[in-house]
Amino acid sequence: MERELVIVLDFGGQYNQLIARRVRECNVYCEVHPCTLSLEKIREMHPKGIIFTGGPNSVYGEDSPRCPKEMFEMGIPILGICYGSQLMAYMLGGSVKTAPVSEYGKTEVDVDTASPIFENVSEKTICWMSHTDYIESAPTDFKVTAHTPVCPVAGMENAGKKLYAVQFHPEVMHTQEGKQMLSNFVYNVCGCSGDWKMDSFVETTIRQIREKVGGGKVLCALSGGVDSSVAAVLLSKAVGKQLTCVFVDHGLLRKNEGDEVESVFGPEGQYDLNFVRVNAQERFYGKLAGVTDPEKKRKIIGEEFIRVFEEEAKKIGAVDFLVQGTIYPDVIESGLGKSAVIKSHHNVGGLPDCVDFKEIIEPLRLLFKDEVRRAGLELGIPDYLVYRQPFPGPGLGVRIVGEVTADKVRIVQDADAIYREELAKAGCDKGLGQYFAALTNMRSVGVMGDERTYDYAVALRAVITSDFMTAEAAEIPFEVLSKVMNRVINEVKGVNRVLYDLTSKPPGTIEFE
């Protein structure tokens, strides 16, 4: 039986992934697609509902993204958010203009609790606004269901045609009852039953992998991170000894991590896997020599990964499939939808044009990070592996600003190990989404032992996030940061300054590159 589907049509909004993530929290499967998705394709997908995202444009601009007007006549429930709400109003006869007063941030909104969207929501509720345009008047056949003192149409609906719109962002955590509103849409309006469960995903995926692979040989790209580890165990349960896991130590891992990965997945580990470790540090350093642009580094590392896999595949014999731990944010952030490329992931946007395998299998391609962890637990992977710190595919190559050298790798490995050790000692690591040390390309004057130094600055980063789509800098106690600073400067040769990164996502990314 096909699972229920809600489609998010992306009009360029920064929260497109977050909307999908929130819908999945309601146990309803959701995908992000560009707003140019054809009506024919939408019909083929049989969605239970459609959500329009926000976006940076004005709906009355000549080049602003649109959708076919026929979409509103398909009988499929639609929820417009921010730009999506203005687009619905504009195309159906309402008035959208520049607002006399823009609204940004937390705003008290009056809602009509008789609306299916606002069932079990407070009559006055705090929502996150971010708009300079507003709906001056709703289309004649729409009912206004929410407003603020300066926004006359903060929500509207045409219940007969199953069309709903809100000016604010229910998907962000700052909208206090946003999850209830989205749940109301998928259940009250779309009639979903909530069939997106992790146990059924694991069972279905294992069956599909067996059918696809048949008697073929499979090569798995194993980094030891959460994504590739879950992918490896998933494949091992599906095809057993047909699988060979290749771990490429590119010299850009955290301190001692190569040995740790081998101890878990190697011959002495707990999994029945064919395991090959390739020590390719010098090869990667050579390819990265003189390269400073982070996008170029990602592409180089991604291509070299594939070349190493191809070489290992030839040693093993004819290999039919390559497995990668690509997850859904990788796919979207690599620019495969409407949104601009944020960064190319080594296993998506950085993939070389010519790959010497019959096919690439990405069993986690549909999952967000927390869903990957739930899949890992469902597979019986120990908690300490499932909840391991996220680590980028290009490794320290994108945590070193500027050119990558063996000496810079040593600096950031040692600083990062100290940082992680001190956070764990202080109990500050609990609840953090991600934390690490990065090496800036800034050098400055210092004084150590009555002598002048001219060394690098290390940046410490720690963020709190539930979904890795948005993040806030963590408030690490000053005494802990001071201890880390003292240890890094005293113990790591080449560093004379330690900084703490306070940047949220957005506008920054979680990684430091």
Side-chain angles (χ1 to χ4, degrees):
M1 183 179 71
E2 290 188 3
R3 59 173 170 252
E4 297 171 330
L5 170 67
V6 169
I7 294 174
V8 172
L9 291 185
D10 179 17
F11 288 88
Q14 61 180 320
Y15 300 131
N16 55 8
Q17 298 179 51
L18 193 53
I19 297 171
R21 177 67 196 89
R22 296 291 178 246
V23 172
R24 291 193 191 184
E25 284 181 354
C26 301
N27 294 322
V28 175
Y29 181 66
C30 187
E31 291 181 352
V32 179
H33 291 276
C35 62
T36 53
L37 192 68
S38 69
L39 295 180
E40 181 182 8
K41 183 63 177 176
I42 290 174
R43 290 190 182 100
E44 290 175 0
M45 298 169 75
H46 302 293
K48 300 282 285 187
I50 299 171
I51 300 178
F52 291 177
T53 73
N57 301 91
S58 293
V59 295
Y60 44 79
E62 290 184 8
D63 298 325
S64 298
R66 296 273 195 276
C67 68
K69 193 171 181 179
E70 294 82 0
M71 188 175 295
F72 299 108
E73 304 297 331
M74 295 173 69
I76 301 172
I78 299 175
L79 173 63
I81 294 175
C82 198
Y83 177 90
S85 70
Q86 295 168 8
L87 180 65
M88 184 183 293
Y90 184 76
M91 294 189 69
L92 297 179
S95 175
V96 179
K97 293 185 177 180
T98 301
V101 179
S102 299
E103 286 182 307
Y104 293 98
K106 294 180 180 179
T107 305
E108 187 176 75
V109 179
D110 291 289
V111 304
D112 180 356
T113 57
S115 167
I117 294 292
F118 299 126
E119 183 179 322
N120 295 321
V121 173
S122 306
E123 291 184 355
K124 292 183 180 293
T125 185
I126 300 299
C127 301
W128 184 261
M129 290 283 194
S130 181
H131 67 101
T132 53
D133 289 343
Y134 79 143
I135 301 171
E136 182 183 50
S137 60
T140 54
D141 53 351
F142 275 70
K143 175 185 178 182
V144 175
T145 56
H147 67 274
T148 73
V150 297
C151 184
V153 187
M156 65 178 191
E157 67 181 43
N158 181 327
K161 293 186 176 180
K162 300 179 182 179
L163 303 178
Y164 297 82
V166 293
Q167 179 60 69
F168 50 84
H169 290 273
E171 70 274 20
V172 302
M173 298 301 291
H174 302 299
T175 297
Q176 293 179 354
E177 297 176 273
K179 184 176 179 180
Q180 180 66 51
M181 298 173 195
L182 289 173
S183 176
N184 287 340
F185 176 68
V186 298
Y187 285 104
N188 294 353
V189 178
C190 300
C192 293
S193 62
D195 63 356
W196 175 241
K197 304 285 198 319
M198 198 47 59
D199 55 351
S200 59
F201 169 82
V202 169
E203 181 181 340
T204 301
T205 302
I206 289 174
R207 184 180 69 251
Q208 290 173 341
I209 291 170
R210 285 176 182 154
E211 292 172 356
K212 178 184 287 288
V213 172
K217 289 186 178 180
V218 185
L219 188 65
C220 179
L222 178 64
S223 71
V226 176
D227 303 336
S228 68
S229 295
V230 172
V233 176
L234 193 62
L235 264 292
S236 70
K237 288 185 178 293
V239 299
K241 288 296 186 179
Q242 293 169 244
L243 170 69
T244 298
C245 290
V246 174
F247 167 53
V248 178
D249 187 347
H250 48 29
L252 301 169
L253 299 171
R254 289 169 286 206
K255 190 171 184 178
N256 301 324
E257 194 160 45
D259 294 338
E260 291 173 2
V261 171
E262 184 169 1
S263 70
V264 173
F265 291 99
E268 305 302 320
Q270 57 185 301
Y271 299 107
D272 187 22
L273 301 172
N274 296 315
F275 178 83
V276 176
R277 177 175 178 174
V278 183
N279 293 311
Q281 294 91 333
E282 296 305 318
R283 176 172 174 170
F284 278 84
Y285 293 162
K287 289 285 185 179
L288 292 167
V291 180
T292 59
D293 180 75
E295 268 297 287
K296 289 183 179 178
K297 288 192 284 188
R298 283 180 175 272
K299 302 256 177 162
I300 288 170
I301 294 168
E303 179 159 349
E304 207 58 24
F305 255 100
I306 296 295
R307 297 302 164 229
V308 173
F309 290 139
E310 287 177 334
E311 293 167 11
E312 292 305 315
K314 289 175 183 176
K315 295 177 186 177
I316 296 166
V319 173
D320 303 288
F321 300 93
L322 170 67
V323 176
Q324 292 185 316
T326 309
I327 65 174
Y328 203 40
D330 298 343
V331 175
I332 298 174
E333 287 191 349
S334 292
L336 305 187
K338 169 70 178 174
S339 296
V341 174
I342 298 173
K343 55 189 176 183
S344 290
H345 292 261
H346 78 281
N347 47 0
V348 184
L351 203 62
D353 295 330
C354 178
V355 182
D356 191 18
F357 303 99
K358 177 181 175 182
E359 191 174 343
I360 292 177
I361 297 175
E362 297 171 317
L364 309 178
R365 189 180 178 89
L366 301 178
L367 303 186
F368 287 98
K369 177 70 73 173
D370 62 321
E371 293 175 319
V372 173
R373 297 189 196 279
R374 284 164 51 200
L377 294 175
E378 188 68 31
L379 286 162
I381 300 175
D383 287 13
Y384 73 89
L385 282 180
V386 170
Y387 291 105
R388 191 174 190 178
Q389 272 283 296
F391 193 62
L396 301 181
V398 293
R399 290 183 181 174
I400 296 173
V401 180
E403 183 181 12
V404 174
T405 66
D407 192 49
K408 288 183 177 180
V409 170
R410 172 196 59 79
I411 290 173
V412 75
Q413 281 179 335
D414 289 347
D416 182 72
I418 290 170
Y419 184 38
R420 288 187 288 122
E421 180 183 331
E422 291 301 329
L423 286 184
K425 280 183 182 178
C428 297
D429 57 332
K430 304 297 187 296
L432 296 180
Q434 198 162 333
Y435 52 95
F436 57 87
L439 183 63
T440 74
N441 61 350
M442 182 186 84
R443 299 179 75 184
S444 61
V445 174
V447 179
M448 298 176 70
D450 296 326
E451 293 184 1
R452 178 187 183 275
T453 62
Y454 188 62
D455 287 328
Y456 287 104
V458 162
L460 306 178
R461 184 131 170 86
V463 299
I464 297 172
T465 178
S466 61
D467 47 44
F468 291 83
M469 299 300 100
T470 61
E472 296 291 337
E475 295 185 24
I476 306 298
F478 188 76
E479 59 270 21
V480 176
L481 292 176
S482 294
K483 188 171 184 180
V484 174
M485 178 273 296
N486 278 318
R487 283 196 61 192
V488 169
I489 289 176
N490 287 320
E491 299 175 29
V492 182
K493 183 180 178 182
V495 178
N496 68 358
R497 199 173 292 268
V498 176
L499 314 173
Y500 187 68
D501 182 4
L502 291 173
T503 313
S504 61
K505 177 185 180 181
T509 60
I510 289 178
E511 284 299 328
F512 193 102
E513 58 181 307

